Amino acid sequence: MAPEFTRDGEIVQAAPRIPVLPLRDVVIFPYVVIPLLVGRQPSLAAIEAAVEADKLILLVAQKEGETQEPGAADLHRAGVLGRVLQVARLPNGSTRVLVEGFARAKITRYVAGGPFIRAVAAPIEWAEPTGETETRALANRVLSLFEEYVALHRRIPPEVVGLIQSTESEERQAWGVAAHMGIKFDLRQKLLEARTLHGLLDSLAEAIGSESELLRLERKIDDDVRGALFQNQREFYLQEQLRAIHKELGEDDGDDFADLEALVNRKALPELVKARAMRELRKLRRMSPMSPEFTVSRNFVDWIVALPWVERTDEVLDVSHARRILDEDHYGLEEVKERILDFIAVLSLVGRLDGQILCLVGPPGVGKTSLGRSIARALGRKFIRMALGGVRDEAEIRGHRRTYIGSMPGRIIQAMRRAEVTNPVVLLDEVDKLGQDYRGDPASALLEVLDPEQNTAFNDNYLEVDYDLSQVLFVTTANSLAGIPEALRDRMEIIRLAGYLDHEKMAIARQYLIPRQLVANGLEPANVSFDPAVLPTIMRGYTREAGVREMERRIARLARKLARKQAEQMTGAVKQHVTTDDLKELLGAPPFDPDDTSLEDKVGVASGLAYTSVGGEVLEIEVSVVKGRGKVQLTGTLGDVMKESASAALSYARTRAKELGLDADFYRNRDIHIHMPAGATPKDGPSAGIAIATCVISALTGVPVRGDVAMTGEITLRGRVLPIGGLKEKSVAAHRNKVSDVIIPHGNARDVDELPEEVRAAVRFHPVKTMDEVLAVAMRGDSLKTAALRSAARAAARSRAAGDPMRDSVTAH
């Protein structure tokens, strides 16, 4: 059945399904004639269909103007039945359409399926008669308000008011007023959907009143600004306009200065700092807001007010509480925990300890960064982390001077602002990764920060006032001390974190890593179980590290595979059991062979111990001797220091040629090739000296070197063995590789008691002073040559070790 639409006695009969023209950000009212630019193909098709039929089309607004191809769900349910008056093609390809809104329409159903949208619509009738006295009075009020609105508006000609007043119908007057109002899209759609004429007029009166108030305020601001213009400067005009707006909003600059001064007075600032801030405030009052210096001074005062000067957190000085927190967060690390507990105990007795700077040194993944967070939690202090890796500019630490555009304080002051207290725990992460270039040396800038004698008056280039950092507990982390300058290292208390032993890794995985990763991947820890051999297999076959970071990644991958299995089964939480046979399917083939470290006796091959940034490593050294012309070749990406150690080892072998049963001219008719796998890994340092010498002597004499012995120590030309560093990490690596005997310099014998108990129980340490003693322990064999060599070496060792009880006790261990 075709719907009928009526307007002022005129009846129009529309088609049962009327073409729809979606409108973007436009709402058309009845009686309004308006031109539209149409470019979308479905809209052009709808217009052509309407022109070919009865020229009637539904004008419906989209809910979102950004929708390019609207469907039924993207259109409102109320619109206007319009008549197409004129269609004109434009040169740019779009179409200009002149339409007239005839009557409101309610869309009962949208019909899709063609080149454009059609709709089944019905007229929207008023819910009350339109000729009541109250409605007529309200219409007169709307006209009066609209006349005032037009008088304030600069873009609506006054003739519009006369045209609207000349119409006899209150409905037509209302739609005419609504069409000329500069109101938002949502409000225009709400007016179109009004149920009663009285409600339409009431909404119009409210909208006109609100818009008129805004126009009055704009006119007042404009008049105030025009009265204050000086030399017709455009920038000054805009600034005065902004000032007038702030004044109307109650945010006058004068009040802002008063509030800022009150804030400075309330803040507990040192006298010199307060005087400096008040001086900057006085400068701000006399300064034009357009001046670039205004922003610089204002930012300075804001930083002074935002920084903590006396505020501090109440510390938890309970040793048992701190012990519980540290044990909850980390397994092992007893030396670090003891140092923190000592600090808390002294702090509880003294009340304040200044200048405590700890440096945690260890390979990646052993918990240095997380330990800093645990220290803050144990003390009840706030925790701030600063990553220093790759920092090259000295201004990053000490700040920029305020003469530069965009200058700001350095990272230390920024960290204190974030902490909001004067006694946080500040972690300076990766302090050994600091760089330096033409912009300065950040490590040198840290000297003032980490020096207890200087950081009570730290001077940032931006603030240019002294700031007290003495109450801050600084904790730094590093993978190696080699990258830290000597002056900076001298200001810190070094605490070494060696790599974890196998049983420690197992405990960490069971207590921390597995529960954390199962929960993170949506699994219940109670529903997942592991065979006892699963964790050792992952640790030895899928990881090779001093820490547990790679192990956690492997466990996370395992948890993701288990979560996927559970999701594919679609049966909710199920019990899952992981065995060693499942690991290849879940984690792939193991990248490491647990048995790749050979403990067999070999000629010309010895095991050295190296200290790297990722912990200790067992380094296999190979020597090959062939007939030649005395050429010596060194391969394996060796550094200068290691090459010098190899030269010293060869010189020792030449000086001891007679005792070793070698031809005195062996170096003339034999080529010696020394190689250290892996070839692509750079190596340097003197601690491989005795291992190189042992390899060379083994290759020259044909006597094998014990495969269960590893060694570390620097060698001199006279065969003396000098102390080395990193014994803890090296001994852990030897234990991890199942080495039973380790030869160490006699100067490092005192460090054996500091090693983990598990290492001391499983490894025999042999302190030596000379290469003769090294050969007595390292060489194996029952031939006459071997017996003579070992006899000479032991005789020399007894003569040098006489009266050395420490050596006897450690060797017998």
Side-chain angles (χ1 to χ4, degrees):
M1 181 177 179
E4 293 182 352
F5 293 81
T6 304
R7 187 186 74 178
D8 296 339
E10 181 182 359
I11 300 176
V12 172
Q13 187 170 12
R17 296 182 177 181
I18 310 170
V20 176
L21 177 60
L23 303 176
R24 289 191 286 192
D25 300 326
V26 177
V27 176
I28 298 178
F29 299 110
Y31 302 97
V32 175
V33 178
I34 186 172
L36 299 173
L37 288 176
V38 181
R40 295 185 289 192
Q41 291 301 322
S43 300
L44 293 173
I47 292 172
E48 291 176 0
V51 171
E52 292 174 0
D54 51 6
K55 295 188 177 182
L56 296 179
I57 191 168
L58 277 174
L59 306 171
V60 184
Q62 297 179 193
K63 296 178 181 178
E64 298 292 339
E66 293 80 9
T67 305
Q68 294 297 325
E69 296 180 4
D74 301 317
L75 301 176
H76 286 283
R77 289 286 176 171
V80 171
L81 179 69
R83 282 192 291 215
V84 180
L85 302 180
Q86 184 181 1
V87 178
R89 302 285 183 179
L90 299 179
N92 60 2
S94 60
T95 301
R96 184 178 182 274
V97 183
L98 188 67
V99 296
E100 177 193 11
F102 182 81
R104 298 189 299 166
K106 178 181 180 182
I107 290 84
T108 58
R109 180 164 60 91
Y110 285 102
V111 180
F116 56 89
I117 302 175
R118 296 178 182 269
V120 178
I124 300 177
E125 302 291 344
W126 296 116
E128 63 179 18
T130 60
E132 294 182 357
T133 304
E134 183 180 354
T135 303
R136 191 173 299 115
L138 184 56
N140 291 334
R141 181 171 178 270
V142 168
L143 289 175
S144 175
L145 292 172
F146 182 69
E147 184 177 3
E148 183 181 357
Y149 174 81
V150 173
L152 293 170
H153 207 289
R154 297 176 179 177
R155 298 182 180 179
I156 302 178
E159 294 80 10
V160 172
V161 179
L163 290 174
I164 295 177
Q165 288 177 343
S166 63
T167 59
E168 297 178 357
S169 168
E170 289 86 6
E171 178 183 1
R172 189 165 186 172
Q173 292 174 350
W175 292 127
V177 171
H180 287 86
M181 289 291 297
I183 53 179
K184 294 182 179 180
F185 169 81
D186 294 337
L187 181 56
R188 296 176 73 88
Q189 183 67 29
K190 182 180 178 182
L191 293 176
L192 181 64
E193 296 174 1
R195 296 181 63 253
T196 64
L197 180 58
H198 185 280
L200 173 61
L201 293 170
D202 196 25
S203 298
L204 277 174
E206 182 180 354
I208 295 172
S210 176
E211 292 294 319
S212 297
E213 284 297 322
L214 288 176
L215 290 175
R216 287 194 194 92
L217 184 58
E218 289 179 3
R219 180 68 62 87
K220 182 178 182 299
I221 293 172
D222 186 65
D223 292 340
D224 291 343
V225 172
R226 289 182 182 275
L229 283 178
F230 179 71
Q231 296 180 356
N232 292 327
Q233 294 182 359
R234 179 177 177 273
E235 291 182 357
F236 189 74
Y237 167 77
L238 294 175
Q239 186 61 37
E240 288 296 321
Q241 190 177 38
L242 183 61
R243 180 176 296 179
I245 292 173
H246 283 309
K247 185 176 181 181
E248 292 296 331
L249 294 174
E251 299 176 357
D252 191 33
D253 286 344
D255 295 337
D256 186 42
F257 284 131
D259 293 342
L260 196 57
E261 183 176 356
L263 193 59
V264 172
N265 288 325
R266 286 198 304 268
K267 188 81 172 178
L269 300 173
E271 287 299 325
L272 293 176
V273 178
K274 185 174 182 180
R276 180 63 182 274
M278 297 303 293
R279 187 164 71 248
E280 291 292 332
L281 275 176
R282 289 193 294 270
K283 285 174 56 179
L284 282 173
R285 291 182 184 275
R286 298 191 300 267
M287 202 179 300
S288 169
M290 293 298 298
S291 171
E293 189 69 21
F294 181 89
T295 303
V296 175
S297 297
R298 176 59 191 264
N299 288 340
F300 172 80
V301 177
D302 288 341
W303 272 99
I304 290 295
V305 173
L307 281 174
W309 296 91
V310 295
E311 298 84 359
R312 55 181 291 129
T313 53
D314 294 331
E315 296 166 320
V316 180
L317 303 179
D318 187 346
V319 177
S320 59
H321 166 77
R323 164 65 77 176
R324 184 171 66 254
I325 294 296
L326 295 174
D327 288 340
E328 285 178 4
D329 293 346
H330 294 84
Y331 181 87
L333 306 179
E334 293 301 325
E335 182 181 353
V336 186
K337 292 179 180 178
E338 290 296 327
R339 178 63 186 87
I340 299 304
L341 294 177
D342 293 345
F343 171 78
I344 296 175
V346 175
L347 190 61
S348 63
L349 298 176
V350 178
R352 171 169 173 166
L353 280 178
D354 295 337
Q356 300 299 313
I357 294 98
L358 306 179
C359 181
L360 307 179
V361 181
V366 296
K368 299 185 297 296
T369 303
S370 59
L371 189 61
R373 187 175 287 105
S374 297
I375 291 172
R377 195 158 75 94
L379 287 170
R381 294 188 180 189
K382 290 190 175 182
F383 176 75
I384 301 294
R385 175 181 173 269
M386 286 174 50
L388 298 181
V391 173
R392 292 182 162 276
D393 192 352
E394 174 262 349
E396 291 280 344
I397 305 298
R398 205 187 293 275
H400 303 80
R401 298 199 179 277
R402 285 184 287 148
T403 52
Y404 301 108
I405 296 175
S407 59
M408 59 192 305
R411 293 195 181 193
I412 299 296
I413 295 297
Q414 293 180 38
M416 297 305 297
R417 180 175 181 174
R418 293 199 307 271
E420 299 179 341
V421 291
T422 59
N423 63 335
V425 174
V426 176
L427 179 74
L428 304 178
D429 212 1
E430 308 291 356
V431 73
D432 59 329
K433 307 296 191 302
L434 284 170
Q436 67 180 57
D437 58 12
Y438 64 93
R439 290 167 292 187
D441 183 6
S444 299
L446 278 178
L447 296 178
E448 182 182 0
V449 176
L450 301 180
D451 191 340
E453 301 298 328
Q454 300 181 46
N455 64 10
T456 55
F458 173 68
N459 196 285
D460 188 273
N461 290 333
Y462 183 87
L463 296 181
E464 294 181 340
V465 294
D466 292 339
Y467 190 83
D468 186 4
L469 295 174
S470 61
Q471 299 182 55
V472 179
L473 176 58
F474 286 104
V475 179
T476 65
T477 70
N479 295 132
S480 172
L481 290 176
I484 305 177
E486 185 65 32
L488 184 59
R489 192 188 317 168
D490 182 62
R491 285 162 169 79
M492 300 183 294
E493 181 177 347
I494 307 299
I495 300 178
R496 293 186 177 273
L497 282 72
Y500 290 116
L501 302 177
D502 286 356
H503 76 280
E504 292 177 323
K505 290 184 180 180
M506 299 275 290
I508 292 171
R510 282 193 298 265
Q511 297 178 26
Y512 303 98
L513 305 184
I514 290 178
R516 182 165 63 203
Q517 291 301 327
L518 291 179
V519 172
N521 288 278
L523 299 172
E524 286 290 336
N527 295 330
V528 180
S529 58
F530 296 86
D531 264 0
V534 168
L535 285 180
T537 304
I538 294 176
M539 180 178 61
R540 297 190 180 100
Y542 291 87
T543 66
R544 182 157 293 179
E545 57 179 345
V548 292
R549 191 169 289 158
E550 179 62 25
M551 190 172 186
E552 184 171 13
R553 280 194 285 266
R554 295 290 180 175
I555 293 173
R557 182 178 177 183
L558 182 66
R560 288 194 297 271
K561 297 292 186 181
L562 297 178
R564 178 180 171 185
K565 278 188 176 181
Q566 180 172 314
E568 289 174 347
Q569 293 176 3
M570 300 295 289
T571 57
V574 295
K575 297 284 187 179
Q576 298 191 68
H577 184 71
V578 181
T579 65
T580 53
D581 297 334
D582 302 327
L583 290 181
K584 189 171 184 180
E585 177 188 354
L586 298 175
L587 298 180
F592 303 108
D593 182 3
D595 299 324
D596 62 350
T597 303
S598 174
L599 299 180
E600 299 177 358
D601 301 346
K602 298 177 182 177
V603 175
V605 178
S607 297
L609 295 174
Y611 174 65
T612 68
S613 61
V614 295
E617 292 287 343
V618 175
L619 190 67
E620 215 172 49
I621 301 172
E622 303 171 347
V623 173
S624 175
V625 178
V626 295
K627 290 184 178 181
R629 298 181 178 181
K631 180 181 177 182
V632 177
Q633 187 176 3
L634 302 171
T635 58
T637 319
L638 307 184
D640 292 338
V641 177
M642 187 165 283
K643 291 178 180 178
E644 293 170 0
S645 295
S647 299
L650 288 171
S651 297
Y652 167 77
R654 291 175 60 185
T655 58
R656 302 286 293 172
K658 182 178 181 181
E659 291 83 351
L660 297 174
L662 299 175
D663 183 5
D665 294 331
F666 74 88
Y667 61 92
R668 297 180 184 273
N669 51 25
R670 296 186 188 182
D671 289 346
I672 300 176
H673 185 176
I674 302 175
H675 179 67
M676 297 187 189
T681 304
K683 310 166 193 69
D684 204 358
S687 63
I690 64 173
I692 296 174
T694 303
C695 275
V696 170
I697 293 171
S698 172
L700 291 171
T701 60
V703 179
V705 180
R706 291 174 54 188
D708 58 350
V709 172
M711 61 197 76
T712 178
E714 179 180 354
I715 187 175
T716 68
L717 293 175
R718 295 179 295 163
R720 293 175 56 233
V721 180
L722 303 182
I724 46 83
L727 179 63
K728 188 174 184 180
E729 290 79 3
K730 293 177 180 179
S731 62
V732 169
H735 177 265
R736 188 165 57 239
N737 287 272
K738 301 181 176 61
V739 173
S740 61
D741 294 81
V742 173
I743 301 173
I744 62 174
H746 184 272
N748 291 107
R750 57 182 176 273
D751 301 327
V752 172
D753 291 335
E754 303 296 328
L755 300 179
E757 183 178 350
E758 294 81 3
V759 175
R760 288 186 282 118
V763 178
R764 288 187 299 272
F765 291 91
H766 303 273
V768 297
K769 291 183 178 181
T770 66
M771 267 303 300
D772 296 331
E773 299 173 65
V774 174
L775 298 176
V777 177
M779 308 298 279
R780 188 189 296 276
D782 298 323
S783 65
L784 294 176
K785 182 186 294 185
T786 305
L789 175 64
R790 298 178 68 185
S791 175
R794 284 171 178 163
R798 282 195 298 270
S799 64
R800 289 181 174 87
D804 191 351
M806 176 182 290
R807 176 189 179 281
D808 294 339
S809 60
V810 176
T811 304
H813 174 69

